[in-house]
Amino acid sequence: MAKGSESESDSNGWSRARGLVVKTLVLIGGAILIKRFTKSTTRWDHARIVARSLSGEKFSREQASRDPDNYFNIRTLTCPAADMVDGSKVLYFEQAFWRTPQKPFRQRFFMVKPCPKDLKCDVEVSSYAIRDMEEYKNFCDRPRDQRPLPEEVIDDIAEHLTTIHLKRCERGKRCLYEGSTPPGGFPNSWNGATYCTSELSILKNNEIHTWDKGYDDDGNQVWGVKEGPYEFKSAPASSFNGMFSPLNFPPSQPMEKRIEGSFVLQEE
């Protein structure tokens, strides 16, 4: 009789021990999961997210269809070009009309990195002129072995043009990041301007909104679209819908005249 009681006591003890072990493992596993999901995003994480969102092929086709009087059907193409020693990402960027992607009218290097700690922003996106733009035409479309090498890219970064400071968007807004150039913008002399400003918003699905404007000494806007930012959306590589739309054919009046109020061909 005593043996039976002792055996039953041992069994209960082992059951309690197993229960404690299982509970401990569950608590430890839960703590690890919570730590993983609540891990804060670092400054460099934000920079990588922005660089990735800027990259790829995007179009303003939908916007041009809605408002062809004020917006062109523009193709933008951006891809990684080099990494700086400090970790900054250098991207090559070009814009062209949909019907002539091989003839970009705007070419830039973007440098993406975390904002300096003394500024109240998350990511800094600076644009630079390219020393030899002809050498970089259709850079992203070429096989990698036919592109300038990363060290050549770094050597070809020329004049600083603008810097945009991006902040994470507040909850409930459509955007992920948004920002603009500092007050007063940056020097610019195209079409009678003395300075220019830029605004940038990054939305979900890698959608990008950009608004570049030039002003004279009196504060009058002398270039750039006035109605609102350009909206660039990613499109499947196999999407050729609208290829033969009137939006994709040469306008009847000179391109330089029509583009004057919308985009800067090359400010340098």
Side-chain angles (χ1 to χ4, degrees):
M1 193 74 175
K3 288 184 178 179
S5 298
E6 186 178 338
S7 176
E8 185 178 342
S9 176
D10 289 345
S11 177
N12 290 336
W14 278 111
S15 295
R16 283 196 295 271
R18 281 198 300 270
L20 286 172
V21 169
V22 170
K23 287 180 181 179
T24 301
L25 290 174
V26 168
L27 288 172
I28 292 173
I32 292 172
L33 284 174
I34 290 171
K35 186 176 182 180
R36 172 182 284 182
F37 288 120
T38 58
K39 183 181 178 182
S40 59
T41 306
T42 68
R43 296 164 63 245
W44 283 103
D45 288 336
H46 289 298
R48 282 189 286 270
I49 292 169
V50 169
R52 189 167 59 244
S53 298
L54 290 172
S55 299
E57 189 178 32
K58 308 178 195 296
F59 303 89
S60 59
R61 181 185 295 120
E62 291 183 19
Q63 190 178 33
S65 297
R66 294 195 310 266
D67 189 359
D69 291 334
N70 293 302
Y71 298 94
F72 295 100
N73 186 3
I74 302 293
R75 177 218 198 203
T76 71
L77 189 58
T78 310
C79 63
D83 289 338
M84 302 296 286
V85 174
D86 66 355
S88 302
K89 300 291 183 183
V90 180
L91 308 177
Y92 171 77
F93 162 86
E94 68 182 21
Q95 289 178 327
F97 292 101
W98 166 259
R99 63 186 177 86
T100 53
Q102 75 281 5
K103 297 179 180 179
F105 60 78
R106 186 184 241 187
Q107 296 170 261
R108 296 283 184 272
F109 284 134
F110 288 157
M111 192 176 297
V112 184
K113 62 183 179 180
C115 276
K117 292 183 178 180
D118 59 327
L119 294 180
K120 294 181 178 180
C121 57
D122 295 299
V123 181
E124 181 177 282
V125 180
S126 297
S127 64
Y128 292 83
I130 299 173
R131 201 173 305 282
D132 183 358
M133 290 184 294
E134 192 66 30
E135 179 73 16
Y136 285 86
K137 279 187 177 179
N138 311 126
F139 175 90
C140 301
D141 286 322
R142 301 184 215 166
R144 291 186 180 276
D145 61 356
Q146 294 180 22
R147 300 176 182 177
L149 297 172
E151 51 268 31
E152 295 175 313
V153 169
I154 293 172
D155 287 342
D156 286 333
I157 297 174
E159 176 192 1
H160 171 257
L161 300 173
T162 63
T163 293
I164 296 174
H165 295 128
L166 296 175
K167 296 178 68 174
R168 282 169 289 179
C169 294
E170 297 176 358
R171 289 183 179 275
K173 299 188 73 172
R174 286 186 61 215
C175 60
L176 301 176
Y177 298 87
E178 63 180 352
S180 62
T181 46
F186 289 89
N188 184 280
S189 59
W190 194 81
N191 199 41
T194 56
Y195 70 96
C196 67
T197 63
S198 294
E199 298 176 24
L200 173 63
S201 296
I202 295 175
L203 289 73
K204 294 180 180 179
N205 300 317
N206 296 328
E207 182 176 341
I208 303 294
H209 292 185
T210 64
W211 199 357
D212 302 323
K213 294 168 283 185
Y215 297 89
D216 62 18
D217 282 328
D218 297 321
N220 300 310
Q221 187 176 340
V222 294
W223 61 256
V225 67
K226 296 182 178 181
E227 286 68 25
Y230 259 83
E231 301 172 1
F232 293 101
K233 298 183 179 182
S234 298
S238 60
S239 175
F240 292 100
N241 294 333
M243 179 182 289
F244 299 106
S245 161
L247 293 168
N248 300 321
F249 285 85
S252 56
Q253 60 189 110
M255 183 64 71
E256 289 78 7
K257 185 64 179 175
R258 283 201 63 203
I259 204 171
E260 186 175 288
S262 181
F263 268 97
V264 181
L265 290 168
Q266 293 289 354
E267 298 99 327
E268 297 81 60

